[in-house]
Every structure is written in structure tokens, then in C-alpha cells.
Amino acid sequence: MITKEAFQFHNVICPLNVAEDGVEAIEYLRFKQQKGIEYLPNLIILDLNLPRKSGQEVLEEIKSDKVLKKIPVVILTTSKAQEDILKAYTLHANCFITKPLDFNKFKNMIKTVIEFWLEVTTLPNHKGKQ
């Protein structure tokens, strides 16, 4: 919810869908995938600390799917553990960010993530071939 608040604070105009746990995240992605590739998200912001299915399990499932693996995954978590960082990159996360505890710093970090991933980089066009 704090990420959603930060998006609203910066008036980001893009759909933001939030899954409450790892199982729901995968179900959402599978549902969007069945509807058609053009319905898939352009970016996934993933917490490692999810109930029912961990963020690492979600990341592994995303990156092992021939269509979903093209979606950049930003790990946004409280962890600073080197083993979490290494595992995330081993599973092909596109970046790993440790959440700042201060909300103002968090808002600024979200702004940086938004600017980089939605304005600076060129993301895959899901409307193209699978």
C-alpha cells in the first residue's frame, strides 16, 4: 500500500495492480496472459516477503515462462541480505532495491524507479510477437 501511496503522490498515470500475496500475483499474471499478451504489465515491482508463495518463488516462475520472462522485474524489499540479493539476480531479477524506512526517502526512491523504468528505458512491446 505504501508503494501505491508513493505512486499517487507523484501523480503517476499508469495502471497499478497490487497482489496481496505470491499466489495471487501468479494468478493475476496467468489471467492476463490468457487474455492476451497486450494485457500483460510492462513492469513488475516484487517484494520478496510475500505470504503463501515467496517473492523468490514468484520471480522464478516468472523468469521460467517464455512470455512472462520478458517483463522486467524490480525487487523492492526490506532485505539487505547478500544471499537474497544473489538469489534474486541468479533468478534474473532486473534490479534489487532495498526499501528505505523513511517515507520521504521511499517516495523519492519510487520516483527514481518510475523515471528510470517508465521514462528512460525502452521496454518490450507486448503487442509484438511472443
Side-chain angles (χ1 to χ4, degrees):
M1 295 312 285
I2 194 169
T3 303
K4 201 171 199 176
E5 287 179 36
F7 267 67
Q8 290 169 344
F9 178 82
H10 291 297
N11 296 315
V12 177
I13 312 233
C14 70
L16 178 66
N17 298 293
V18 178
E20 298 297 322
D21 59 53
V23 172
E24 186 179 322
I26 290 298
E27 287 173 352
Y28 172 82
L29 290 169
R30 295 289 181 215
F31 172 75
K32 291 294 187 178
Q33 192 175 19
Q34 287 175 353
K35 282 185 74 173
I37 196 163
E38 67 272 14
Y39 293 97
L40 290 171
N42 292 318
L43 178 68
I44 296 170
I45 299 175
L46 181 63
D47 193 341
L48 293 182
N49 302 313
L50 296 175
R52 297 191 338 158
K53 183 179 276 203
S54 75
Q56 289 178 340
E57 291 172 305
V58 172
L59 177 61
E60 187 171 17
E61 195 163 334
I62 290 168
K63 294 303 183 176
S64 66
D65 182 281
K66 72 178 188 169
V67 174
L68 298 179
K69 72 180 178 182
K70 298 173 189 170
I71 304 169
V73 178
V74 174
I75 301 298
L76 182 59
T77 188
T78 57
S79 176
K80 291 183 183 181
Q82 282 300 306
E83 56 269 13
D84 288 340
I85 296 167
L86 181 59
K87 177 121 185 197
Y89 283 116
T90 299
L91 293 172
H92 305 289
N94 295 87
C95 73
F96 189 104
I97 301 170
T98 301
K99 293 179 192 177
L101 298 177
D102 177 77
F103 184 64
N104 287 325
K105 288 180 182 178
F106 183 81
K107 288 189 300 189
N108 291 334
M109 182 270 311
I110 287 293
K111 182 178 181 187
T112 301
V113 169
I114 292 165
E115 287 172 348
F116 181 76
W117 286 102
L118 301 181
E119 296 172 18
V120 174
T121 62
T122 302
L123 297 174
N125 179 355
H126 293 312
K127 294 179 183 172
K129 293 183 178 181
Q130 292 189 29

